[in-house]
Amino acid sequence: MADAVFPAWRKSSFSDGGSEDQSNCVEVAVTSAAVGVRDSKSPATPALTFTPASWSRFLTNLR
């Protein structure tokens, strides 16, 4: 989805974890209708999109 749909991208909190290569980051943008996930090295490529419910289940399963 375009940046117009996801206006505020945030980098993963792990991006500041002391790694020497900070270019390998995941960015996430959240709206009431969707969650977008993209590679920070390639912001122009299409983002993966999730419904808020499926994103929540994904994060729960990661924990």
Side-chain angles (χ1 to χ4, degrees):
M1 290 189 146
D3 282 345
V5 175
F6 294 116
W9 290 94
R10 297 184 334 237
K11 282 191 180 181
S12 166
S13 60
F14 290 100
S15 297
D16 298 325
S19 170
E20 292 190 21
D21 184 8
Q22 296 295 324
S23 64
N24 294 323
C25 301
V26 171
E27 294 178 320
V28 176
V30 179
T31 70
S32 61
V35 177
V37 180
R38 70 181 183 185
D39 182 347
S40 64
K41 293 185 310 281
S42 304
T45 59
L48 297 173
T49 58
F50 299 88
T51 65
S54 64
W55 181 249
S56 179
R57 283 191 303 273
F58 172 73
L59 293 178
T60 298
N61 287 324
L62 282 179
R63 294 181 186 128

Short mmCIF file of all heavy atoms in Angstrom, two decimals:
data_model
loop_
_atom_site.label_atom_id
_atom_site.label_comp_id
_atom_site.label_asym_id
_atom_site.label_seq_id
_atom_site.Cartn_x
_atom_site.Cartn_y
_atom_site.Cartn_z
N MET A 1 0.84 -1.18 0.00
CA MET A 1 0.00 0.00 0.00
C MET A 1 0.88 1.23 0.00
O MET A 1 1.97 1.23 0.53
CB MET A 1 -0.91 0.02 1.21
CG MET A 1 -1.99 -1.03 1.18
SD MET A 1 -3.17 -0.77 2.49
CE MET A 1 -4.60 -1.33 1.66
N ALA A 2 0.38 2.28 -0.54
CA ALA A 2 1.15 3.51 -0.67
C ALA A 2 1.25 4.24 0.66
O ALA A 2 0.48 4.01 1.59
CB ALA A 2 0.47 4.41 -1.70
N ASP A 3 2.21 5.16 0.73
CA ASP A 3 2.39 5.95 1.94
C ASP A 3 1.16 6.79 2.26
O ASP A 3 0.95 7.16 3.40
CB ASP A 3 3.62 6.85 1.82
CG ASP A 3 4.90 6.08 2.05
OD1 ASP A 3 4.83 4.95 2.57
OD2 ASP A 3 5.97 6.61 1.72
N ALA A 4 0.34 7.11 1.26
CA ALA A 4 -0.89 7.86 1.51
C ALA A 4 -1.83 7.06 2.40
O ALA A 4 -2.56 7.61 3.21
CB ALA A 4 -1.57 8.21 0.20
N VAL A 5 -1.78 5.74 2.27
CA VAL A 5 -2.62 4.87 3.10
C VAL A 5 -1.96 4.67 4.47
O VAL A 5 -2.63 4.62 5.49
CB VAL A 5 -2.83 3.51 2.40
CG1 VAL A 5 -3.60 2.56 3.29
CG2 VAL A 5 -3.56 3.71 1.09
N PHE A 6 -0.63 4.58 4.49
CA PHE A 6 0.13 4.42 5.73
C PHE A 6 1.05 5.62 5.89
O PHE A 6 2.21 5.58 5.50
CB PHE A 6 0.96 3.14 5.70
CG PHE A 6 0.16 1.88 5.69
CD1 PHE A 6 0.21 1.03 4.61
CD2 PHE A 6 -0.65 1.54 6.76
CE1 PHE A 6 -0.52 -0.14 4.58
CE2 PHE A 6 -1.39 0.37 6.75
CZ PHE A 6 -1.33 -0.47 5.66
N PRO A 7 0.56 6.72 6.45
CA PRO A 7 1.36 7.94 6.49
C PRO A 7 2.49 7.93 7.53
O PRO A 7 3.44 8.69 7.38
CB PRO A 7 0.34 9.03 6.83
CG PRO A 7 -0.73 8.30 7.55
CD PRO A 7 -0.77 6.92 6.96
N ALA A 8 2.42 7.11 8.55
CA ALA A 8 3.42 7.17 9.62
C ALA A 8 4.10 5.82 9.83
O ALA A 8 3.55 4.94 10.48
CB ALA A 8 2.76 7.62 10.92
N TRP A 9 5.26 5.65 9.25
CA TRP A 9 6.02 4.40 9.38
C TRP A 9 6.94 4.51 10.59
O TRP A 9 7.56 5.54 10.82
CB TRP A 9 6.84 4.14 8.13
CG TRP A 9 5.98 3.78 6.96
CD1 TRP A 9 5.51 4.61 6.01
CD2 TRP A 9 5.49 2.48 6.64
NE1 TRP A 9 4.75 3.92 5.10
CE2 TRP A 9 4.73 2.60 5.46
CE3 TRP A 9 5.62 1.22 7.22
CZ2 TRP A 9 4.11 1.52 4.86
CZ3 TRP A 9 5.00 0.14 6.62
CH2 TRP A 9 4.25 0.29 5.45
N ARG A 10 7.05 3.41 11.37
CA ARG A 10 7.95 3.34 12.52
C ARG A 10 8.88 2.16 12.34
O ARG A 10 8.45 1.10 11.89
CB ARG A 10 7.16 3.12 13.82
CG ARG A 10 6.24 4.21 14.19
CD ARG A 10 5.58 3.94 15.55
NE ARG A 10 5.51 2.53 15.89
CZ ARG A 10 4.41 1.85 16.18
NH1 ARG A 10 3.26 2.45 16.15
NH2 ARG A 10 4.45 0.59 16.50
N LYS A 11 10.13 2.35 12.73
CA LYS A 11 11.08 1.24 12.68
C LYS A 11 10.89 0.35 13.89
O LYS A 11 10.45 0.79 14.95
CB LYS A 11 12.52 1.75 12.67
CG LYS A 11 12.96 2.25 11.33
CD LYS A 11 14.44 2.50 11.33
CE LYS A 11 14.87 2.99 9.96
NZ LYS A 11 16.30 3.23 9.90
N SER A 12 11.25 -0.89 13.74
CA SER A 12 11.20 -1.84 14.83
C SER A 12 12.03 -1.35 16.01
O SER A 12 13.08 -0.72 15.83
CB SER A 12 11.76 -3.19 14.35
OG SER A 12 12.02 -4.02 15.44
N SER A 13 11.58 -1.63 17.21
CA SER A 13 12.35 -1.26 18.40
C SER A 13 13.69 -1.98 18.44
O SER A 13 14.63 -1.53 19.08
CB SER A 13 11.55 -1.55 19.67
OG SER A 13 11.25 -2.93 19.74
N PHE A 14 13.80 -3.08 17.73
CA PHE A 14 15.07 -3.82 17.66
C PHE A 14 16.08 -3.13 16.74
O PHE A 14 17.24 -3.51 16.71
CB PHE A 14 14.84 -5.26 17.21
CG PHE A 14 14.14 -6.08 18.26
CD1 PHE A 14 12.79 -6.31 18.16
CD2 PHE A 14 14.83 -6.60 19.34
CE1 PHE A 14 12.13 -7.06 19.12
CE2 PHE A 14 14.18 -7.34 20.30
CZ PHE A 14 12.83 -7.57 20.19
N SER A 15 15.66 -2.13 16.01
CA SER A 15 16.57 -1.43 15.11
C SER A 15 17.66 -0.69 15.88
O SER A 15 18.72 -0.44 15.36
CB SER A 15 15.80 -0.42 14.26
OG SER A 15 14.87 -1.08 13.45
N ASP A 16 17.38 -0.32 17.10
CA ASP A 16 18.34 0.42 17.91
C ASP A 16 19.05 -0.48 18.91
O ASP A 16 19.58 -0.01 19.90
CB ASP A 16 17.63 1.55 18.66
CG ASP A 16 17.02 2.55 17.70
OD1 ASP A 16 17.63 2.80 16.65
OD2 ASP A 16 15.94 3.08 18.00
N GLY A 17 19.08 -1.75 18.63
CA GLY A 17 19.63 -2.71 19.58
C GLY A 17 21.14 -2.84 19.58
O GLY A 17 21.68 -3.80 20.09
N GLY A 18 21.85 -1.89 19.01
CA GLY A 18 23.29 -1.92 19.05
C GLY A 18 23.94 -2.62 17.88
O GLY A 18 25.14 -2.74 17.82
N SER A 19 23.16 -3.06 16.93
CA SER A 19 23.72 -3.71 15.75
C SER A 19 24.51 -2.69 14.95
O SER A 19 24.13 -1.52 14.86
CB SER A 19 22.60 -4.29 14.89
OG SER A 19 23.11 -4.71 13.65
N GLU A 20 25.62 -3.12 14.38
CA GLU A 20 26.41 -2.21 13.57
C GLU A 20 25.74 -1.91 12.25
O GLU A 20 25.96 -0.87 11.66
CB GLU A 20 27.81 -2.79 13.34
CG GLU A 20 28.61 -2.84 14.61
CD GLU A 20 30.06 -3.19 14.36
OE1 GLU A 20 30.52 -2.99 13.22
OE2 GLU A 20 30.71 -3.64 15.30
N ASP A 21 24.92 -2.82 11.76
CA ASP A 21 24.22 -2.61 10.49
C ASP A 21 22.77 -2.26 10.79
O ASP A 21 21.92 -3.14 10.90
CB ASP A 21 24.32 -3.84 9.60
CG ASP A 21 23.68 -3.63 8.24
OD1 ASP A 21 23.28 -2.48 7.93
OD2 ASP A 21 23.58 -4.59 7.49
N GLN A 22 22.48 -0.98 10.91
CA GLN A 22 21.12 -0.53 11.22
C GLN A 22 20.24 -0.49 9.97
O GLN A 22 19.09 -0.10 10.05
CB GLN A 22 21.17 0.86 11.86
CG GLN A 22 21.88 0.89 13.20
CD GLN A 22 21.16 0.09 14.26
OE1 GLN A 22 19.93 0.05 14.30
NE2 GLN A 22 21.89 -0.56 15.14
N SER A 23 20.77 -0.90 8.81
CA SER A 23 19.98 -0.83 7.59
C SER A 23 19.03 -2.02 7.44
O SER A 23 18.17 -2.01 6.58
CB SER A 23 20.90 -0.76 6.37
OG SER A 23 21.67 -1.95 6.27
N ASN A 24 19.17 -3.04 8.26
CA ASN A 24 18.30 -4.21 8.19
C ASN A 24 17.15 -4.05 9.18
O ASN A 24 17.15 -4.64 10.25
CB ASN A 24 19.09 -5.48 8.50
CG ASN A 24 20.12 -5.75 7.44
OD1 ASN A 24 19.88 -5.51 6.27
ND2 ASN A 24 21.26 -6.25 7.84
N CYS A 25 16.19 -3.23 8.81
CA CYS A 25 15.11 -2.90 9.73
C CYS A 25 13.75 -3.19 9.10
O CYS A 25 13.58 -3.14 7.89
CB CYS A 25 15.15 -1.43 10.09
SG CYS A 25 16.69 -0.94 10.88
N VAL A 26 12.82 -3.44 9.96
CA VAL A 26 11.42 -3.59 9.57
C VAL A 26 10.70 -2.34 10.02
O VAL A 26 10.93 -1.84 11.12
CB VAL A 26 10.80 -4.84 10.23
CG1 VAL A 26 9.31 -4.89 10.00
CG2 VAL A 26 11.47 -6.10 9.73
N GLU A 27 9.83 -1.82 9.16
CA GLU A 27 9.01 -0.67 9.51
C GLU A 27 7.55 -1.11 9.53
O GLU A 27 7.14 -1.93 8.72
CB GLU A 27 9.21 0.46 8.52
CG GLU A 27 10.60 1.04 8.56
CD GLU A 27 10.80 2.14 7.53
OE1 GLU A 27 10.30 2.01 6.40
OE2 GLU A 27 11.47 3.11 7.89
N VAL A 28 6.80 -0.54 10.46
CA VAL A 28 5.39 -0.87 10.62
C VAL A 28 4.59 0.42 10.64
O VAL A 28 5.02 1.42 11.23
CB VAL A 28 5.16 -1.65 11.94
CG1 VAL A 28 3.68 -1.92 12.16
CG2 VAL A 28 5.94 -2.95 11.94
N ALA A 29 3.44 0.41 10.00
CA ALA A 29 2.51 1.53 10.02
C ALA A 29 1.13 0.98 10.35
O ALA A 29 0.72 -0.05 9.82
CB ALA A 29 2.49 2.25 8.69
N VAL A 30 0.44 1.65 11.25
CA VAL A 30 -0.86 1.17 11.73
C VAL A 30 -1.93 2.21 11.47
O VAL A 30 -1.75 3.39 11.78
CB VAL A 30 -0.79 0.85 13.24
CG1 VAL A 30 -2.14 0.37 13.75
CG2 VAL A 30 0.29 -0.18 13.52
N THR A 31 -3.04 1.77 10.90
CA THR A 31 -4.24 2.59 10.79
C THR A 31 -5.38 1.79 11.41
O THR A 31 -5.19 0.63 11.79
CB THR A 31 -4.59 2.92 9.32
OG1 THR A 31 -5.02 1.73 8.66
CG2 THR A 31 -3.41 3.55 8.58
N SER A 32 -6.54 2.37 11.48
CA SER A 32 -7.67 1.64 12.05
C SER A 32 -8.11 0.47 11.16
O SER A 32 -8.70 -0.48 11.64
CB SER A 32 -8.85 2.58 12.29
OG SER A 32 -9.27 3.14 11.07
N ALA A 33 -7.77 0.53 9.88
CA ALA A 33 -8.23 -0.49 8.94
C ALA A 33 -7.17 -1.53 8.57
O ALA A 33 -7.51 -2.62 8.11
CB ALA A 33 -8.72 0.17 7.66
N ALA A 34 -5.89 -1.20 8.75
CA ALA A 34 -4.84 -2.11 8.29
C ALA A 34 -3.52 -1.84 8.99
O ALA A 34 -3.31 -0.76 9.53
CB ALA A 34 -4.65 -1.97 6.78
N VAL A 35 -2.65 -2.84 8.94
CA VAL A 35 -1.28 -2.72 9.44
C VAL A 35 -0.37 -3.04 8.26
O VAL A 35 -0.53 -4.06 7.59
CB VAL A 35 -1.01 -3.71 10.60
CG1 VAL A 35 0.43 -3.63 11.06
CG2 VAL A 35 -1.96 -3.45 11.76
N GLY A 36 0.57 -2.15 8.00
CA GLY A 36 1.52 -2.36 6.92
C GLY A 36 2.89 -2.68 7.48
O GLY A 36 3.29 -2.14 8.51
N VAL A 37 3.60 -3.56 6.80
CA VAL A 37 4.96 -3.95 7.20
C VAL A 37 5.82 -3.88 5.95
O VAL A 37 5.44 -4.40 4.90
CB VAL A 37 4.99 -5.39 7.78
CG1 VAL A 37 6.40 -5.78 8.19
CG2 VAL A 37 4.04 -5.52 8.95
N ARG A 38 6.98 -3.22 6.06
CA ARG A 38 7.87 -3.11 4.91
C ARG A 38 9.32 -3.17 5.34
O ARG A 38 9.67 -2.99 6.51
CB ARG A 38 7.61 -1.82 4.13
CG ARG A 38 8.06 -0.57 4.86
CD ARG A 38 7.76 0.67 4.06
NE ARG A 38 8.27 1.86 4.75
CZ ARG A 38 8.07 3.09 4.33
NH1 ARG A 38 7.35 3.31 3.24
NH2 ARG A 38 8.57 4.11 4.98
N ASP A 39 10.18 -3.41 4.38
CA ASP A 39 11.62 -3.44 4.57
C ASP A 39 12.12 -2.00 4.48
O ASP A 39 11.89 -1.33 3.48
CB ASP A 39 12.25 -4.31 3.49
CG ASP A 39 13.75 -4.45 3.60
OD1 ASP A 39 14.39 -3.70 4.36
OD2 ASP A 39 14.29 -5.33 2.91
N SER A 40 12.82 -1.52 5.49
CA SER A 40 13.27 -0.13 5.48
C SER A 40 14.29 0.14 4.38
O SER A 40 14.46 1.29 3.97
CB SER A 40 13.86 0.26 6.84
OG SER A 40 15.02 -0.50 7.10
N LYS A 41 14.97 -0.89 3.90
CA LYS A 41 15.93 -0.71 2.81
C LYS A 41 15.23 -0.48 1.48
O LYS A 41 15.83 0.05 0.55
CB LYS A 41 16.85 -1.94 2.68
CG LYS A 41 17.78 -2.16 3.85
CD LYS A 41 18.72 -3.31 3.58
CE LYS A 41 18.08 -4.57 3.11
NZ LYS A 41 17.43 -5.45 4.03
N SER A 42 13.97 -0.88 1.38
CA SER A 42 13.23 -0.77 0.12
C SER A 42 11.84 -0.18 0.36
O SER A 42 10.82 -0.84 0.12
CB SER A 42 13.08 -2.16 -0.51
OG SER A 42 14.33 -2.77 -0.69
N PRO A 43 11.78 1.06 0.82
CA PRO A 43 10.47 1.63 1.16
C PRO A 43 9.53 1.82 -0.03
O PRO A 43 8.33 1.93 0.16
CB PRO A 43 10.82 2.97 1.81
CG PRO A 43 12.18 3.29 1.33
CD PRO A 43 12.87 1.98 1.10
N ALA A 44 10.07 1.81 -1.23
CA ALA A 44 9.22 2.00 -2.42
C ALA A 44 8.54 0.70 -2.86
O ALA A 44 7.61 0.73 -3.66
CB ALA A 44 10.04 2.56 -3.57
N THR A 45 9.01 -0.43 -2.34
CA THR A 45 8.38 -1.70 -2.72
C THR A 45 7.07 -1.86 -1.95
O THR A 45 6.87 -1.24 -0.91
CB THR A 45 9.31 -2.90 -2.42
OG1 THR A 45 9.61 -2.91 -1.03
CG2 THR A 45 10.59 -2.81 -3.23
N PRO A 46 6.16 -2.65 -2.46
CA PRO A 46 4.88 -2.83 -1.77
C PRO A 46 5.05 -3.39 -0.36
O PRO A 46 5.92 -4.21 -0.09
CB PRO A 46 4.13 -3.83 -2.65
CG PRO A 46 4.77 -3.73 -3.99
CD PRO A 46 6.22 -3.40 -3.72
N ALA A 47 4.21 -2.91 0.52
CA ALA A 47 4.21 -3.39 1.91
C ALA A 47 3.32 -4.62 2.03
O ALA A 47 2.37 -4.79 1.27
CB ALA A 47 3.70 -2.29 2.83
N LEU A 48 3.65 -5.46 2.98
CA LEU A 48 2.72 -6.53 3.37
C LEU A 48 1.61 -5.86 4.17
O LEU A 48 1.88 -4.97 4.98
CB LEU A 48 3.42 -7.57 4.23
CG LEU A 48 4.57 -8.34 3.61
CD1 LEU A 48 5.25 -9.21 4.66
CD2 LEU A 48 4.07 -9.20 2.47
N THR A 49 0.39 -6.28 3.97
CA THR A 49 -0.71 -5.69 4.73
C THR A 49 -1.46 -6.77 5.49
O THR A 49 -1.62 -7.89 5.01
CB THR A 49 -1.69 -4.92 3.82
OG1 THR A 49 -2.19 -5.79 2.82
CG2 THR A 49 -1.01 -3.72 3.18
N PHE A 50 -1.88 -6.41 6.68
CA PHE A 50 -2.61 -7.30 7.57
C PHE A 50 -3.83 -6.57 8.10
O PHE A 50 -3.81 -5.35 8.25
CB PHE A 50 -1.75 -7.69 8.78
CG PHE A 50 -0.48 -8.42 8.43
CD1 PHE A 50 0.68 -7.72 8.14
CD2 PHE A 50 -0.45 -9.80 8.41
CE1 PHE A 50 1.86 -8.39 7.84
CE2 PHE A 50 0.72 -10.48 8.11
CZ PHE A 50 1.87 -9.77 7.82
N THR A 51 -4.87 -7.31 8.44
CA THR A 51 -5.95 -6.70 9.20
C THR A 51 -5.43 -6.52 10.62
O THR A 51 -4.51 -7.24 11.05
CB THR A 51 -7.21 -7.60 9.23
OG1 THR A 51 -6.90 -8.80 9.94
CG2 THR A 51 -7.72 -7.91 7.83
N PRO A 52 -5.99 -5.59 11.38
CA PRO A 52 -5.54 -5.44 12.76
C PRO A 52 -5.68 -6.74 13.58
O PRO A 52 -4.81 -7.07 14.38
CB PRO A 52 -6.44 -4.33 13.32
CG PRO A 52 -6.74 -3.50 12.10
CD PRO A 52 -6.90 -4.51 10.99
N ALA A 53 -6.73 -7.51 13.34
CA ALA A 53 -6.92 -8.77 14.07
C ALA A 53 -5.85 -9.80 13.72
O ALA A 53 -5.31 -10.47 14.61
CB ALA A 53 -8.31 -9.33 13.79
N SER A 54 -5.53 -9.92 12.44
CA SER A 54 -4.51 -10.91 12.06
C SER A 54 -3.13 -10.47 12.54
O SER A 54 -2.31 -11.30 12.92
CB SER A 54 -4.52 -11.17 10.55
OG SER A 54 -4.17 -10.02 9.83
N TRP A 55 -2.83 -9.17 12.55
CA TRP A 55 -1.56 -8.67 13.07
C TRP A 55 -1.45 -8.97 14.57
O TRP A 55 -0.41 -9.40 15.05
CB TRP A 55 -1.44 -7.18 12.80
CG TRP A 55 -0.15 -6.59 13.27
CD1 TRP A 55 0.01 -5.71 14.30
CD2 TRP A 55 1.15 -6.83 12.74
NE1 TRP A 55 1.34 -5.39 14.43
CE2 TRP A 55 2.06 -6.06 13.50
CE3 TRP A 55 1.64 -7.63 11.71
CZ2 TRP A 55 3.43 -6.07 13.25
CZ3 TRP A 55 3.00 -7.63 11.47
CH2 TRP A 55 3.88 -6.86 12.24
N SER A 56 -2.53 -8.78 15.27
CA SER A 56 -2.54 -9.06 16.71
C SER A 56 -2.28 -10.55 16.97
O SER A 56 -1.49 -10.90 17.86
CB SER A 56 -3.88 -8.65 17.31
OG SER A 56 -3.92 -8.95 18.68
N ARG A 57 -2.90 -11.42 16.20
CA ARG A 57 -2.66 -12.87 16.35
C ARG A 57 -1.21 -13.21 16.03
O ARG A 57 -0.58 -14.02 16.71
CB ARG A 57 -3.61 -13.67 15.45
CG ARG A 57 -5.01 -13.76 16.00
CD ARG A 57 -5.86 -14.78 15.24
NE ARG A 57 -5.94 -14.52 13.81
CZ ARG A 57 -6.84 -13.71 13.24
NH1 ARG A 57 -7.72 -13.08 13.99
NH2 ARG A 57 -6.84 -13.54 11.94
N PHE A 58 -0.66 -12.59 14.99
CA PHE A 58 0.74 -12.83 14.62
C PHE A 58 1.65 -12.43 15.78
O PHE A 58 2.55 -13.20 16.16
CB PHE A 58 1.06 -12.00 13.36
CG PHE A 58 2.52 -12.00 13.00
CD1 PHE A 58 3.11 -13.13 12.46
CD2 PHE A 58 3.28 -10.86 13.19
CE1 PHE A 58 4.45 -13.13 12.11
CE2 PHE A 58 4.63 -10.85 12.83
CZ PHE A 58 5.21 -11.99 12.31
N LEU A 59 1.45 -11.27 16.36
CA LEU A 59 2.30 -10.83 17.47
C LEU A 59 2.13 -11.72 18.70
O LEU A 59 3.11 -12.04 19.37
CB LEU A 59 1.98 -9.38 17.83
CG LEU A 59 2.35 -8.33 16.79
CD1 LEU A 59 1.94 -6.95 17.27
CD2 LEU A 59 3.83 -8.38 16.44
N THR A 60 0.92 -12.16 18.95
CA THR A 60 0.68 -13.07 20.08
C THR A 60 1.43 -14.37 19.88
O THR A 60 2.04 -14.89 20.81
CB THR A 60 -0.83 -13.34 20.24
OG1 THR A 60 -1.49 -12.10 20.54
CG2 THR A 60 -1.11 -14.35 21.33
N ASN A 61 1.43 -14.89 18.66
CA ASN A 61 2.13 -16.15 18.38
C ASN A 61 3.64 -15.98 18.44
O ASN A 61 4.35 -16.95 18.74
CB ASN A 61 1.71 -16.71 17.03
CG ASN A 61 0.33 -17.29 17.07
OD1 ASN A 61 -0.08 -17.89 18.06
ND2 ASN A 61 -0.44 -17.10 16.01
N LEU A 62 4.15 -14.80 18.17
CA LEU A 62 5.60 -14.56 18.28
C LEU A 62 6.06 -14.61 19.73
O LEU A 62 7.15 -15.04 20.04
CB LEU A 62 5.97 -13.20 17.70
CG LEU A 62 6.05 -13.10 16.20
CD1 LEU A 62 6.41 -11.68 15.79
CD2 LEU A 62 7.07 -14.08 15.63
N ARG A 63 5.21 -14.14 20.60
CA ARG A 63 5.57 -14.09 22.02
C ARG A 63 5.52 -15.46 22.59
O ARG A 63 6.13 -15.95 23.38
CB ARG A 63 4.63 -13.15 22.77
CG ARG A 63 4.80 -11.73 22.31
CD ARG A 63 3.89 -10.79 23.07
NE ARG A 63 4.02 -9.47 22.49
CZ ARG A 63 3.02 -8.74 22.08
NH1 ARG A 63 1.77 -9.15 22.22
NH2 ARG A 63 3.22 -7.56 21.55
#
